[in-house]
Amino acid sequence: MTNPLVFHFETEAEFWDTALEDVLLCIREALRKFPDCRLGLAGGSTPKALYEKLADANLPWGKIKIIQLDERYVPSDHKESNLGMLRKTLLTRAPIPPNNIFTFDTSLPYDSAAEEMDRQLTRLQEQGRPLLDCLILGAGSDGHIASLFEGDRALLSPNYAATAHAKGYPTPQRLTLTTKALQEASCALLLLKGPDKLPVVENLEGKSSSLPLTALKFLASKATLKVLYSL
C-alpha cells in the first residue's frame, strides 16, 4: 500500500471544517460527471458530527444517494443501531428522498439482510461510473473500517454486502459492505480522532507495522484515500 496522505489538526474546528469541505468537493465533482452522487456512510461515533454539518449544507438532495456501509444486527430503534444514528444526524434533517436511501434491513433474517443489500447495490451498479463516489469512514483502534475485521470472511467475500462477526464486541453480529464494494469507490475520507487512533495513524504513515490494516490496504489500492487526524 502506498502510504496515504495523513493531515494532522490541532483544533476540532479545523478538523470538521476540512472534513466538510472535502465531502462537499467530492459531491460537486460527482454531480459534475454523473446525474447523481453516491455517498457511503459508516456508523460509529466519529462521523456523527460531520453528518450533522452535512445535514445543514445547501445541497441538491434529490440527486444524492445515501448508502449505509455497516450495521449492527439489532432493531433500528436500538441504541446501538447505526441506522438510528444516521436518522438522528442526517436522514430526518435533510430532504433526502426515501428511494435514495440504501440501508441494511435488520427486520429480515441475518443472512437475508446482507443478501438484500447486495441485491440493491448490484442493481445500482452501472458501467462507466463508480459504485460509490465518496466514502465517509471511521476506524476502530485495531484499524478496522465498516465492519471488516481482521480474519473475518467478509474481507474476501465475492459479494457487495455480507454478514460479519465482531469478536469481543458487545454486538458481534454485524452487516457490512465488503472490500469488493469499497474498492469500487472513487474516493474515501477516513476520520480518526483521539489518542487511541494514533497507532492506526502511525501504521498508515509507515512509522509502524503493528496493525495489519487489511481492509484499509484493499481500499487504498483502488480508491483515493485521505486521512484526517486530530487528538
Side-chain angles (χ1 to χ4, degrees):
M1 176 180 74
T2 302
N3 294 334
L5 287 175
V6 180
F7 297 85
H8 295 252
F9 296 88
E10 297 296 326
T11 69
E12 286 266 320
E14 280 186 300
F15 179 87
W16 292 119
D17 287 349
T18 302
L20 180 62
E21 184 180 316
D22 286 346
V23 174
L24 294 178
L25 182 64
C26 184
I27 291 171
R28 292 191 204 103
E29 182 65 16
L31 292 176
R32 187 180 66 81
K33 296 178 181 177
F34 310 113
D36 60 29
C37 173
R38 289 98 176 268
L39 288 182
L41 304 185
S45 58
T46 302
K48 289 168 64 175
L50 178 56
Y51 300 158
E52 290 170 345
K53 289 180 177 291
L54 200 56
D56 293 331
N58 183 19
L59 289 168
W61 289 107
K63 297 180 179 180
I64 296 173
K65 290 182 166 67
I66 302 295
I67 295 95
Q68 186 183 21
L69 296 186
D70 68 315
E71 181 58 286
R72 299 173 178 91
Y73 189 61
V74 295
S76 62
D77 59 355
H78 192 281
K79 64 178 182 178
E80 291 291 309
S81 170
N82 286 337
L83 178 55
M85 181 272 285
L86 288 174
R87 283 174 174 159
K88 290 175 185 174
T89 56
L90 177 64
L91 301 183
T92 59
R93 298 179 58 203
I96 306 168
N99 289 344
N100 284 12
I101 300 171
F102 300 79
T103 62
F104 288 99
D105 184 354
T106 57
S107 69
L108 295 173
Y110 187 37
D111 289 338
S112 299
E115 290 164 4
E116 177 55 28
M117 178 62 97
D118 181 63
R119 281 193 290 269
Q120 290 187 68
L121 294 181
T122 300
R123 288 196 296 267
L124 196 61
Q125 187 189 41
E126 298 174 29
Q127 287 294 105
R129 69 153 300 163
L131 176 65
L132 300 157
D133 294 302
C134 180
L135 305 177
I136 299 176
L137 298 166
S141 57
D142 59 359
H144 80 268
I145 54 174
S147 284
L148 294 166
F149 298 89
E150 295 299 333
D152 195 65
R153 62 183 182 181
L155 281 169
L156 300 177
S157 171
N159 301 321
Y160 284 133
T163 59
H165 185 73
K167 185 178 180 182
Y169 284 77
T171 312
Q173 282 189 306
R174 304 291 181 95
L175 297 155
T176 187
L177 265 59
T178 61
T179 48
K180 176 185 175 180
L182 299 190
Q183 283 184 312
E184 293 192 26
S186 178
C187 62
L189 183 66
L190 178 61
L191 306 175
L192 300 173
K193 289 188 91 289
D196 63 318
K197 304 297 172 66
L198 188 57
V200 180
V201 172
E202 291 175 342
N203 277 262
L204 288 170
E205 291 179 322
K207 298 174 181 176
S208 173
S209 57
S210 61
L211 298 173
L213 302 183
T214 302
L216 273 168
K217 288 176 180 177
F218 272 122
L219 172 62
S221 70
K222 299 286 186 179
T224 300
L225 176 62
K226 183 175 182 179
V227 185
L228 308 186
Y229 175 65
S230 171
L231 283 171

